[in-house]
Amino acid sequence: QVQLVESGGGLVQPGGSLRLSCAASGSIFSIYNMGWFRRAPGKQREFVARVTSGGVTNYADSVTGRFTISWDNAKNTVSLEMNSLKPEDTAVYYCNVQYDDYNGDEYDYWGQGTQVTVSS
């Protein structure tokens, strides 16, 4: 059993900042990727950012230069610092973790989502 606890969503004005966090716990032996996706109203879920266990980061073009992803290995927590937010960043943001359990089985697990609304 794995739990992903997301926090940090909310309402912010255009140009503002928010920080999302996602803490993973449970039957996790080794995490190899943690990341964030989002789904805007009326659209499909899309990739936002990812960080690997080796510290390699990837970003969607739409957020490059504005968002920063980081991973606290000791706490199994991934954070997403979002700056210069735009109305088009409004979406439900989902934490994603890819990991192995103690049996060596691979899993791709999703959080429940946290709402981010950018509006004046």
Side-chain angles (χ1 to χ4, degrees):
Q1 191 77 6
V2 170
Q3 297 81 39
L4 293 181
V5 179
E6 299 161 326
S7 61
L11 173 64
V12 64
Q13 292 186 343
S17 299
L18 280 175
R19 183 180 177 88
L20 305 182
S21 292
C22 172
S25 62
S27 302
I28 297 172
F29 174 71
S30 177
I31 296 176
Y32 45 94
N33 286 321
M34 294 191 82
W36 292 92
F37 290 69
R38 67 187 182 187
R39 177 155 55 201
K43 296 186 178 181
Q44 292 188 333
R45 187 159 55 188
E46 64 177 4
F47 168 75
V48 175
R50 178 183 61 191
V51 57
T52 72
S53 58
V56 177
T57 58
N58 299 101
Y59 297 93
D61 289 343
S62 59
V63 307
T64 297
R66 300 187 298 121
F67 291 10
T68 302
I69 191 169
S70 59
W71 181 0
D72 184 334
N73 284 326
K75 298 180 180 179
N76 275 351
T77 297
V78 64
S79 297
L80 185 68
E81 184 74 32
M82 305 185 294
N83 298 315
S84 301
L85 282 162
K86 305 175 181 180
E88 51 263 43
D89 294 317
T90 295
V92 178
Y93 284 70
Y94 296 90
C95 176
N96 173 258
V97 60
Q98 295 173 325
Y99 68 96
D100 290 339
D101 68 5
Y102 290 95
N103 294 322
D105 295 323
E106 298 179 1
Y107 291 89
D108 190 350
Y109 200 78
W110 295 88
Q112 293 298 309
T114 184
Q115 177 69 47
V116 171
T117 302
V118 184
S119 175
S120 56

